[in-house]
Structures are given as C-alpha cells and as structure tokens.
Amino acid sequence: MKAIDMLIECAQQRQPVVGGEVWLVGAGPGDAELLTIKALRVISQADVLVFDRLVSPAVMALVPQQALRIDVGKSTRCHTLSQSEINSLLVELAQAGNRVVRLKGGDPFIFGRGGEEMAALQRCGIPCHIVPGITAASGCAAATGIPLTHRDHAQSVRFVTGHCRDGEPDLDWRALVSDGQTLVFYMGLAFGGTIAKQLMRHGMGGETPLVIIERGTQPQQRVLTATLAELPALLARERPQPPSLLVIGAVAGLYRTGHWPAQNVMPAMAV
Ligand SMILES: C[S@@+](CC[C@H](N)C(=O)[O-])C[C@H]1O[C@@H](n2cnc3c(N)ncnc32)[C@H](O)[C@@H]1O
C-alpha cells in the first residue's frame, strides 16, 4: 500500500465532521506569537493537520494532541510528496469528512502554492477557506528593524523568487534595477551569485547594501550584512541555510546590530 493511501486510510478512521472542508492557513515566519488569532482558533479545531518543513516547531507545539499530523515535508531539493499528491491528499481527507488544516509557512498565497491547492479543492467542490499569514518578507524584515519602505529610501518593494520551476531564476532583471525600490528574494540562496551578477550587469551598484535573514523571528535567527558585490563571498564564507531571505536596497543599510534581540517579547500583562 502506498504511503499516501495509508495516511488517507488512517484519517478515515477518525471521527468525521459532517461534510469535510479544508482551511489553508498561514503560519507566519516562525515566531508562534506572530500567528493570527484566527489561525490559532482554526488549528485548535483541526481533525487533520497537513504541514511542511517551513512550519516552525514553536507553531507545531500549538497543534492539539488529538489531531492527526501529516508531514508532507517540502524543501527546495526534497519533496516528500509531489504537489499533485498533496492536492489529492487534501481532497481525499476532506471527502472523508475531516476538518483539514493545511498549514503553510508565511502566507499561503505568497510563493506557497496555496493557489494551486485551492484550485484543486474547488475543482472537486470542496469548501476551502483561506487564513492569511504574515509573509516572511514583512515579518522577518520588520522584526529585524528593517523597514521595507521608507520615505527617504524606498517607495516600492518587490517580492521576487530566486528559484524558478527549472532552477536558475529567469527574471526581468532590468525591471528589478530601479532607484527607490527594495528587493526581497525568497529562496535566493542557491542562486545568490547569479542574482548579484545579473543585478550589477543591469546597472545596480556593487555598493548597494543587503542583508540575509536566516530563520527570521526564530530563536536561531541570524542576520548577515554585505554589499551586493560581496554577496558571493559572504555566501561562501557564512553558508547561510534555508529558510533565508535576501533583502537588497538602501533600506538594508538601516540595519543596526545589537538593537534588535531575536525575539522581541513584551512582558506578560496582568489581566
Ligand atoms: C516556498 S517559500 C514560502 C514563502 C511563504 N509562503 C511566505 O509567505 O513567507 C520559502 C521561502 O520563504 C522564505 N522564508 C520563509 N520563512 C522564513 C524565515 N523564517 N526566515 C527567512 N526566510 C524565510 C525563504 O526564502 C524560504 O526559502
């Protein structure tokens, strides 16, 4: 029996709700306190929770014990289940009458294939609800003290993928090079050298500041700074690991070490 069939059979043995449904829920960048109240409520009511590597241990700790957890374990190089198998799994779990929560890092619709999962569910007539999450760019940059826009430095911000369907990014580099614009590359580590080379070839100054935010908002957060020209050497020396973001532009120059602890936690309030 295939692993996917075993998972479905296992879920079918649980107490079904009348009419299954799927909630596509954004888990934010990692700090569990950055979950929305709605996400927390939906997670607490799940029969089955389908998650992947981007969901942090702190968020997973909030999943109720009785919920069945299915790890579909996607990383850049290792997909435990293919996207079409994940789509089928969600459909079959819902058809079995479960309240399914598909928990995704960040926001489900920002480089998260949430749109593909929603379309697969809609094709099968399965109710699909979306709970937005804080996407890594805004969550990690703000928590690190980097404003993605700033009246003096950046009037626009672009979220860009550094990894296309076939690997190396094939982007409109000319359009990405513009004064007063912040670039945030998701999945940009593997082709960081290409990104730096192409941006400079199309006119971006080698002295442009950048930061890499590794595991943003999580206890292991690391922030690395360099200029665009220095990026290949920085990657070779520090070897940052996914998940990491690349923030390029004048606002990256506003980052100051020491000002921002990895976890900004307010003291508990007496109620
Ligand atoms: C497949 S994309 C998913 C993005 C997600 N849906 C979101 O809205 O943040 C995965 C990429 O998001 C970025 N990412 C997600 N969480 C991150 C974190 N805590 N710190 C740094 N980068 C993160 C990394 O670039 C990672 O390779």
Side-chain angles (χ1 to χ4, degrees):
M1 185 185 263
K2 280 172 64 185
I4 187 169
D5 297 326
M6 285 168 57
L7 290 170
I8 291 165
E9 192 177 298
C10 184
Q12 283 168 341
Q13 287 160 6
R14 300 171 60 80
Q15 285 292 319
V17 291
V18 180
E21 58 186 13
V22 176
W23 291 74
L24 297 182
V25 177
D31 178 352
E33 290 186 315
L34 294 179
L35 271 180
T36 63
I37 294 169
K38 187 164 188 170
L40 189 57
R41 177 179 65 74
V42 170
I43 290 169
S44 72
Q45 295 170 350
D47 297 319
V48 185
L49 193 118
V50 179
F51 67 102
D52 53 50
R53 281 170 54 116
L54 262 193
V55 180
S56 70
V59 170
M60 287 305 295
L62 300 172
V63 176
Q65 285 301 322
Q66 68 276 13
L68 175 70
R69 299 160 189 232
I70 301 179
D71 181 357
V72 291
K74 286 181 10 178
S75 67
T76 311
R77 288 182 201 84
C78 156
H79 288 202
T80 306
L81 294 185
S82 68
Q83 187 59 52
S84 69
E85 285 175 319
I86 293 172
N87 296 350
S88 304
L89 177 66
L90 294 175
V91 168
E92 297 192 37
L93 289 169
Q95 283 173 339
N98 291 290
R99 188 179 295 116
V100 182
V101 170
R102 170 65 169 121
L103 194 54
K104 301 174 87 73
D107 180 274
F109 283 178
I110 301 280
F111 302 129
R113 304 199 188 172
E116 295 170 40
E117 294 174 9
M118 178 181 69
L121 293 161
Q122 286 171 338
R123 277 195 297 275
C124 297
I126 292 170
C128 173
H129 314 272
I130 317 297
V131 181
I134 296 181
T135 191
S138 54
C140 299
T144 313
I146 299 170
L148 291 180
T149 66
H150 187 297
R151 284 202 296 176
D152 297 335
H153 303 288
Q155 288 70 47
S156 68
V157 55
R158 296 185 66 156
F159 296 172
V160 189
T161 175
H163 190 271
C164 293
R165 202 179 271 271
D166 300 321
E168 185 144 349
D170 180 19
L171 300 166
D172 181 354
W173 299 103
R174 198 177 303 278
L176 292 179
V177 178
S178 153
D179 284 342
Q181 175 166 266
T182 305
L183 301 179
V184 185
F185 280 91
Y186 288 67
M187 299 165 282
L189 288 182
F191 294 105
T194 305
I195 291 168
K197 195 169 72 186
Q198 289 286 15
L199 290 176
M200 288 191 289
R201 180 177 293 165
H202 288 82
M204 189 176 281
E207 71 291 350
T208 305
L210 67 84
V211 298
I212 294 175
I213 307 174
E214 180 185 52
R215 293 199 170 281
T217 81
Q218 302 184 27
Q220 314 89 328
Q221 172 177 291
R222 189 161 67 127
V223 183
L224 305 168
T225 59
T227 63
L228 188 58
E230 293 165 347
L231 178 60
L234 178 75
L235 293 173
R237 190 176 67 244
E238 299 292 339
R239 300 194 172 282
Q241 299 299 309
S244 290
L245 283 177
L246 213 52
V247 182
I248 304 175
V251 294
L254 301 177
Y255 174 73
R256 296 287 176 271
T257 49
H259 283 256
W260 303 93
Q263 299 284 300
N264 293 322
V265 181
M266 286 178 73
M269 289 196 332
V271 186

